Amino acid sequence: MKYFVRVVFAAALAFVLIFTPLVAAPKTMNFKNFPVESQKYDDVLTLWHIDSFEGGVGSRGDFLSDVLADFSSNGIHTLVSSYSISGAKEGLSSGKKPDMISFGIGAGFVAEYAKSIPFGFFSGGELNGEIFAAPWCRGGYFLIAENAIVRPIRRLIVSKGEFNNPLLCLNYSDIGFDEMEISEPMNAYVEYLKGGKVLLGTQRDIWRLIKREKTFVAEPVEEFCDLYQYIAITTDDGEKYSKCVKVIEYLFSLGEKLKSTGMLPVNGNFYDGALGEYDTADTQFTLSPFLSEDRVKSLCEIANTDDLEEEAKLYVKYIK
């Protein structure tokens, strides 16, 4: 099927200094409806958001700030700060620790700080029989072409971010091709626009094409996905832990509000068009979000070699 789409509250400087990590300044903060004088600083939950793979539209960190500002009407106030992987790692190693961390593949160091949580619906964040992180949104892989996807694919270009592994996606899917080229996401997208190639991309590429009002066909590749945005509780405070559980429950209930991120829900699908074709229930395999950066990268390097089968037994998780 062919798809054609046409598509704050100002805080005092002293408050900012108190909540800004000294060694890894967050990229964004949002103080919409955020209490300054009426709420003690000790009562405020802190959440670090880490982007480790391309999203959909807008900022997932800003989205969290906005929806948790709305949730503050329940008396639970959360300050969201956005970090890079290196910035979060540096902040944690220096002794700064938030109450929660939103993260994806490549931020395995979070495992050292994560607490067991009472959300057992998804085994991707499981360690030794306990759940330490659960996803609140997700992406997906797609084959994208100008007119039709003819098999076997003659020329395939694969969009490969630093930590996500589309080559494992190929391995767990029945996709035949004659030639394959791997490139970082924006370069892969630009190369696809030149014509003559099928793109193995993500939801981000679909949103790029929609924005440019391009005609395209998209076919979900659902068997494997490592594009999950998890959340973990990291606080040592019992009272804050209980509040964090309520925050996470709220994030799991957002439903179609996630549309403003351009991301898919973990279960189900509320989109029309190309994104609506993705059946989240058909995803069977993922990678643990607690794998180290080095391990994630090594799996990428052997994804098309005979070594993959043995490594996959150790690190690929079955989530059905």
Side-chain angles (χ1 to χ4, degrees):
M1 182 177 292
K2 192 175 295 184
Y3 300 95
F4 183 76
V5 188
R6 295 190 179 276
V7 180
V8 213
F9 191 100
L13 178 59
F15 182 82
V16 177
L17 292 175
I18 288 172
F19 282 99
T20 302
L22 298 179
V23 294
K27 293 179 285 186
T28 61
M29 280 188 175
N30 188 331
F31 294 98
K32 175 186 174 185
N33 299 329
F34 201 81
V36 177
E37 297 179 358
S38 62
Q39 191 78 9
K40 294 180 180 179
Y41 297 149
D42 290 344
D43 292 337
V44 176
L45 301 178
T46 53
L47 189 161
W48 290 4
H49 171 77
I50 304 170
D51 281 332
S52 62
F53 62 90
E54 287 198 308
V57 294
S59 163
R60 278 165 283 171
D62 287 349
F63 171 79
L64 285 174
S65 291
D66 289 340
V67 296
L68 293 180
D70 294 338
F71 188 64
S72 66
S73 61
N74 292 274
I76 299 177
H77 306 281
T78 307
L79 178 64
V80 179
S81 306
S82 291
Y83 281 80
S84 64
I85 285 181
S86 60
K89 184 187 294 186
E90 185 180 356
L92 289 167
S93 64
S94 72
K96 304 294 178 181
K97 187 173 71 171
D99 300 308
M100 294 171 282
I101 300 179
S102 166
F103 67 106
I105 191 74
F109 54 86
V110 174
E112 181 180 346
Y113 307 90
K115 312 299 183 197
S116 177
I117 57 176
F119 303 107
F121 66 90
F122 190 83
S123 61
E126 180 183 352
L127 287 173
N128 300 320
E130 294 185 80
I131 301 296
F132 289 87
W136 60 271
C137 70
R138 61 167 291 174
Y141 291 104
F142 294 82
L143 288 174
I144 302 170
E146 295 172 271
N147 298 301
I149 299 172
V150 179
R151 285 178 166 77
I153 296 170
R154 189 169 67 86
R155 301 173 69 196
L156 180 68
I157 183 163
V158 177
S159 175
K160 169 73 181 71
E162 184 176 6
F163 298 109
N164 69 300
N165 200 328
L167 297 180
L168 279 176
C169 180
L170 281 177
N171 184 269
Y172 284 96
S173 306
D174 186 20
I175 300 174
F177 55 88
D178 296 328
E179 300 176 15
M180 180 179 70
E181 176 185 347
I182 304 170
S183 189
E184 65 89 19
M186 184 52 71
N187 288 343
Y189 171 73
V190 171
E191 189 65 25
Y192 162 79
L193 291 178
K194 296 177 182 178
K197 297 180 181 179
V198 173
L199 172 66
L200 176 60
T202 71
Q203 73 291 332
R204 178 61 171 164
D205 296 294
I206 287 179
W207 286 113
R208 288 182 175 121
L209 291 166
I210 290 173
K211 184 176 181 180
R212 290 176 64 95
E213 300 185 342
K214 292 288 186 179
T215 301
F216 65 94
V217 294
E219 180 182 304
V221 186
E222 300 150 331
E223 290 80 3
F224 171 90
C225 183
D226 54 358
L227 306 174
Y228 289 93
Q229 188 73 38
Y230 288 83
I231 190 161
I233 297 176
T234 52
T235 184
D236 295 316
D237 182 281
E239 184 177 350
K240 284 190 172 184
Y241 178 94
S242 297
K243 291 181 179 180
C244 289
V245 168
K246 293 180 180 179
V247 168
I248 295 176
E249 288 174 340
Y250 173 67
L251 292 180
F252 292 163
S253 71
L254 291 175
E256 293 198 19
K257 287 184 179 180
L258 283 173
K259 277 187 174 181
S260 64
T261 69
M263 300 293 288
L264 293 161
V266 177
N267 297 308
N269 195 327
F270 40 61
Y271 288 101
D272 296 319
L275 289 174
E277 296 294 317
Y278 197 106
D279 188 346
T280 56
D282 284 343
T283 301
Q284 302 179 56
F285 303 98
T286 191
L287 290 177
S288 169
F290 296 125
L291 291 181
S292 68
E293 295 176 59
D294 290 342
R295 179 61 62 189
V296 172
K297 291 179 179 179
S298 70
L299 284 170
C300 295
E301 292 170 359
I302 65 171
N304 275 347
T305 72
D306 294 337
D307 295 327
L308 177 63
E309 186 174 353
E310 286 303 313
E311 291 287 302
K313 290 178 183 177
L314 297 174
Y315 302 113
V316 175
K317 299 176 72 72
Y318 183 68
I319 57 175
K320 293 298 286 185

